[in-house]
Amino acid sequence: MAKKKILFINQEIAPYVPDTVMSLMGRDIPQAIQEKGYEIRIFMPKWGNINERRGQLHEVQRLSGMNLIIDDTDHPLIIKVASIPTAKIQVYFIDNDDYFNKRQMERNEQGEDYADNGERAIFFARGVLETVKKLRWVPDVIHCHGWMSAVVPLYIKTAYHDEPSFTNTKVITSLFNKSLNKNLGDNFKRCIEFREATSDLLKPYNDIFDFDELAKLSIDYSDGIVQADKMVNKDLLNYTKEKGIPVLKCKNEGFADAIEDFYNLIAPDEVPEEEED
């Protein structure tokens, strides 16, 4: 039986950004899963602090050129790609002059959260999913890492649920301790609207949409949750348990086997029906 196809949507991947629990896991898990024989694709934002020359990033012309409309404004989608030689994995980067070029990650040089972080997450999520469609690649599992990917589960279960690339796709979200300091802006709920992903779906959440509300949104539309950090907010873990969503506590040793088993739990192989005599 063929191995599953796994789409990794990562906020951080080493060595393109400094080493953190998230960036190291963002590199190590895809590498380990690929070494087990799975077909993978990896996406991350092209943060402004990524050195394109050192990382040998180059634009993929056939994938670039699309415009994504967010809050009635066209935002060009630029796709770049690079390979991590030591890990033997390829990474696709989502880029845009307004949201990523010449800008840091979640905070500016003064250490303050960007006011449009919510819009950036929306652009990133839609950019990844539109690019996967262009690749004509059908993932069995999408594994999301970090707040930048937190909108993906909602879109997969609503706006993209009828797309052939994602009809049967299961979504797993990894929760980390790293968070945002400020809310996502007054216009976040309006900007998130796309096809069946309406602002009405956000009514159950607090009016002030902060990091915890974003995490709850991601949990609600995920099929499985990975506790990727020992210091994850306990309230979010309790929220997950109350929803009855399967949880995996990621361990340092044997993590690849545990992740693989979790993928198979969330997205079990279909057993072909026996033909009648």
Side-chain angles (χ1 to χ4, degrees), residues 70-91:
I70 298 175
D71 200 18
D72 295 327
T73 302
D74 282 350
H75 298 277
L77 174 62
I78 302 169
I79 308 298
K80 297 177 179 177
V81 69
S83 296
I84 306 177
T86 56
K88 296 182 180 179
I89 56 178
Q90 186 180 65
V91 180

mmCIF file of all heavy atoms in Angstrom, residues 70-91:
data_model
loop_
_atom_site.group_PDB
_atom_site.id
_atom_site.type_symbol
_atom_site.label_atom_id
_atom_site.label_comp_id
_atom_site.label_asym_id
_atom_site.label_seq_id
_atom_site.Cartn_x
_atom_site.Cartn_y
_atom_site.Cartn_z
ATOM 1 N N ILE A 70 -7.760 40.267 -0.315
ATOM 2 C CA ILE A 70 -8.012 40.284 1.120
ATOM 3 C C ILE A 70 -8.432 41.691 1.509
ATOM 4 O O ILE A 70 -7.708 42.657 1.225
ATOM 5 C CB ILE A 70 -6.767 39.850 1.924
ATOM 6 C CG1 ILE A 70 -6.382 38.407 1.559
ATOM 7 C CG2 ILE A 70 -7.013 39.969 3.431
ATOM 8 C CD1 ILE A 70 -5.105 37.928 2.218
ATOM 9 N N ASP A 71 -9.605 41.805 2.113
ATOM 10 C CA ASP A 71 -10.143 43.109 2.495
ATOM 11 C C ASP A 71 -10.237 44.037 1.283
ATOM 12 O O ASP A 71 -9.841 45.214 1.357
ATOM 13 C CB ASP A 71 -9.290 43.734 3.604
ATOM 14 C CG ASP A 71 -10.043 44.811 4.371
ATOM 15 O OD1 ASP A 71 -11.295 44.840 4.286
ATOM 16 O OD2 ASP A 71 -9.397 45.622 5.059
ATOM 17 N N ASP A 72 -10.720 43.484 0.166
ATOM 18 C CA ASP A 72 -10.938 44.225 -1.079
ATOM 19 C C ASP A 72 -9.651 44.764 -1.707
ATOM 20 O O ASP A 72 -9.691 45.691 -2.534
ATOM 21 C CB ASP A 72 -11.911 45.403 -0.847
ATOM 22 C CG ASP A 72 -13.302 44.936 -0.457
ATOM 23 O OD1 ASP A 72 -13.710 43.865 -0.938
ATOM 24 O OD2 ASP A 72 -13.956 45.637 0.331
ATOM 25 N N THR A 73 -8.531 44.190 -1.339
ATOM 26 C CA THR A 73 -7.249 44.622 -1.897
ATOM 27 C C THR A 73 -6.533 43.435 -2.530
ATOM 28 O O THR A 73 -6.471 42.357 -1.946
ATOM 29 C CB THR A 73 -6.349 45.238 -0.802
ATOM 30 O OG1 THR A 73 -7.029 46.341 -0.199
ATOM 31 C CG2 THR A 73 -5.028 45.721 -1.386
ATOM 32 N N ASP A 74 -5.993 43.652 -3.751
ATOM 33 C CA ASP A 74 -5.223 42.609 -4.429
ATOM 34 C C ASP A 74 -3.812 42.531 -3.847
ATOM 35 O O ASP A 74 -3.126 43.551 -3.732
ATOM 36 C CB ASP A 74 -5.117 42.912 -5.929
ATOM 37 C CG ASP A 74 -6.390 42.559 -6.685
ATOM 38 O OD1 ASP A 74 -7.261 41.924 -6.082
ATOM 39 O OD2 ASP A 74 -6.505 42.930 -7.856
ATOM 40 N N HIS A 75 -3.404 41.299 -3.507
ATOM 41 C CA HIS A 75 -2.054 41.082 -2.993
ATOM 42 C C HIS A 75 -1.372 40.015 -3.838
ATOM 43 O O HIS A 75 -1.789 38.849 -3.826
ATOM 44 C CB HIS A 75 -2.101 40.634 -1.526
ATOM 45 C CG HIS A 75 -2.698 41.643 -0.597
ATOM 46 N ND1 HIS A 75 -1.977 42.694 -0.074
ATOM 47 C CD2 HIS A 75 -3.963 41.764 -0.106
ATOM 48 C CE1 HIS A 75 -2.762 43.420 0.712
ATOM 49 N NE2 HIS A 75 -3.966 42.885 0.706
ATOM 50 N N PRO A 76 -0.334 40.387 -4.600
ATOM 51 C CA PRO A 76 0.361 39.412 -5.448
ATOM 52 C C PRO A 76 0.994 38.285 -4.622
ATOM 53 O O PRO A 76 1.592 38.527 -3.568
ATOM 54 C CB PRO A 76 1.438 40.247 -6.148
ATOM 55 C CG PRO A 76 0.933 41.655 -6.088
ATOM 56 C CD PRO A 76 0.197 41.748 -4.781
ATOM 57 N N LEU A 77 0.841 37.065 -5.116
ATOM 58 C CA LEU A 77 1.408 35.887 -4.469
ATOM 59 C C LEU A 77 2.687 35.492 -5.198
ATOM 60 O O LEU A 77 2.667 35.238 -6.406
ATOM 61 C CB LEU A 77 0.405 34.735 -4.501
ATOM 62 C CG LEU A 77 0.874 33.370 -3.991
ATOM 63 C CD1 LEU A 77 1.257 33.443 -2.523
ATOM 64 C CD2 LEU A 77 -0.211 32.320 -4.211
ATOM 65 N N ILE A 78 3.783 35.451 -4.477
ATOM 66 C CA ILE A 78 5.080 35.079 -5.027
ATOM 67 C C ILE A 78 5.539 33.781 -4.353
ATOM 68 O O ILE A 78 5.521 33.676 -3.127
ATOM 69 C CB ILE A 78 6.128 36.187 -4.797
ATOM 70 C CG1 ILE A 78 5.646 37.505 -5.426
ATOM 71 C CG2 ILE A 78 7.488 35.789 -5.355
ATOM 72 C CD1 ILE A 78 6.475 38.706 -5.022
ATOM 73 N N ILE A 79 5.928 32.802 -5.145
ATOM 74 C CA ILE A 79 6.373 31.513 -4.619
ATOM 75 C C ILE A 79 7.857 31.350 -4.893
ATOM 76 O O ILE A 79 8.315 31.485 -6.037
ATOM 77 C CB ILE A 79 5.602 30.339 -5.263
ATOM 78 C CG1 ILE A 79 4.097 30.558 -5.161
ATOM 79 C CG2 ILE A 79 6.022 29.018 -4.614
ATOM 80 C CD1 ILE A 79 3.568 30.638 -3.754
ATOM 81 N N LYS A 80 8.600 31.043 -3.848
ATOM 82 C CA LYS A 80 10.030 30.777 -3.983
ATOM 83 C C LYS A 80 10.322 29.381 -3.426
ATOM 84 O O LYS A 80 9.496 28.814 -2.704
ATOM 85 C CB LYS A 80 10.841 31.853 -3.249
ATOM 86 C CG LYS A 80 10.622 33.245 -3.850
ATOM 87 C CD LYS A 80 11.349 34.343 -3.119
ATOM 88 C CE LYS A 80 11.090 35.693 -3.804
ATOM 89 N NZ LYS A 80 11.714 36.829 -3.089
ATOM 90 N N VAL A 81 11.471 28.864 -3.764
ATOM 91 C CA VAL A 81 11.798 27.515 -3.340
ATOM 92 C C VAL A 81 13.288 27.426 -3.026
ATOM 93 O O VAL A 81 14.100 28.180 -3.578
ATOM 94 C CB VAL A 81 11.403 26.483 -4.438
ATOM 95 C CG1 VAL A 81 12.312 26.625 -5.657
ATOM 96 C CG2 VAL A 81 11.432 25.061 -3.901
ATOM 97 N N ALA A 82 13.630 26.518 -2.124
ATOM 98 C CA ALA A 82 15.025 26.253 -1.782
ATOM 99 C C ALA A 82 15.104 24.851 -1.196
ATOM 100 O O ALA A 82 14.086 24.240 -0.859
ATOM 101 C CB ALA A 82 15.546 27.281 -0.773
ATOM 102 N N SER A 83 16.311 24.340 -1.107
ATOM 103 C CA SER A 83 16.522 23.008 -0.549
ATOM 104 C C SER A 83 17.475 23.086 0.632
ATOM 105 O O SER A 83 18.406 23.901 0.642
ATOM 106 C CB SER A 83 17.100 22.062 -1.608
ATOM 107 O OG SER A 83 16.181 21.867 -2.666
ATOM 108 N N ILE A 84 17.221 22.243 1.616
ATOM 109 C CA ILE A 84 18.123 22.112 2.759
ATOM 110 C C ILE A 84 18.999 20.896 2.483
ATOM 111 O O ILE A 84 18.553 19.754 2.641
ATOM 112 C CB ILE A 84 17.358 21.927 4.077
ATOM 113 C CG1 ILE A 84 16.331 23.051 4.273
ATOM 114 C CG2 ILE A 84 18.322 21.890 5.261
ATOM 115 C CD1 ILE A 84 15.476 22.891 5.516
ATOM 116 N N PRO A 85 20.237 21.105 2.035
ATOM 117 C CA PRO A 85 21.079 19.971 1.639
ATOM 118 C C PRO A 85 21.289 18.945 2.754
ATOM 119 O O PRO A 85 21.261 17.739 2.504
ATOM 120 C CB PRO A 85 22.406 20.637 1.256
ATOM 121 C CG PRO A 85 22.040 22.056 0.916
ATOM 122 C CD PRO A 85 20.913 22.396 1.835
ATOM 123 N N THR A 86 21.474 19.433 3.966
ATOM 124 C CA THR A 86 21.744 18.500 5.071
ATOM 125 C C THR A 86 20.533 17.643 5.416
ATOM 126 O O THR A 86 20.673 16.554 5.953
ATOM 127 C CB THR A 86 22.179 19.285 6.324
ATOM 128 O OG1 THR A 86 21.158 20.255 6.648
ATOM 129 C CG2 THR A 86 23.499 20.002 6.086
ATOM 130 N N ALA A 87 19.340 18.152 5.108
ATOM 131 C CA ALA A 87 18.122 17.398 5.409
ATOM 132 C C ALA A 87 17.526 16.739 4.168
ATOM 133 O O ALA A 87 16.619 15.914 4.277
ATOM 134 C CB ALA A 87 17.080 18.321 6.043
ATOM 135 N N LYS A 88 18.039 17.138 2.985
ATOM 136 C CA LYS A 88 17.542 16.599 1.720
ATOM 137 C C LYS A 88 16.032 16.819 1.554
ATOM 138 O O LYS A 88 15.299 15.933 1.137
ATOM 139 C CB LYS A 88 17.881 15.113 1.590
ATOM 140 C CG LYS A 88 19.376 14.827 1.533
ATOM 141 C CD LYS A 88 19.652 13.337 1.365
ATOM 142 C CE LYS A 88 21.156 13.086 1.308
ATOM 143 N NZ LYS A 88 21.472 11.629 1.173
ATOM 144 N N ILE A 89 15.596 18.032 1.943
ATOM 145 C CA ILE A 89 14.187 18.376 1.776
ATOM 146 C C ILE A 89 14.079 19.723 1.071
ATOM 147 O O ILE A 89 14.952 20.581 1.185
ATOM 148 C CB ILE A 89 13.420 18.430 3.114
ATOM 149 C CG1 ILE A 89 14.075 19.391 4.101
ATOM 150 C CG2 ILE A 89 13.296 17.039 3.722
ATOM 151 C CD1 ILE A 89 13.316 19.523 5.422
ATOM 152 N N GLN A 90 12.996 19.887 0.331
ATOM 153 C CA GLN A 90 12.721 21.120 -0.409
ATOM 154 C C GLN A 90 11.644 21.917 0.309
ATOM 155 O O GLN A 90 10.682 21.339 0.825
ATOM 156 C CB GLN A 90 12.274 20.786 -1.826
ATOM 157 C CG GLN A 90 12.099 21.985 -2.747
ATOM 158 C CD GLN A 90 11.646 21.565 -4.136
ATOM 159 O OE1 GLN A 90 10.541 21.051 -4.298
ATOM 160 N NE2 GLN A 90 12.495 21.784 -5.134
ATOM 161 N N VAL A 91 11.813 23.222 0.344
ATOM 162 C CA VAL A 91 10.868 24.097 1.037
ATOM 163 C C VAL A 91 10.330 25.139 0.069
ATOM 164 O O VAL A 91 11.094 25.797 -0.653
ATOM 165 C CB VAL A 91 11.533 24.809 2.236
ATOM 166 C CG1 VAL A 91 10.530 25.718 2.946
ATOM 167 C CG2 VAL A 91 12.126 23.791 3.211
#
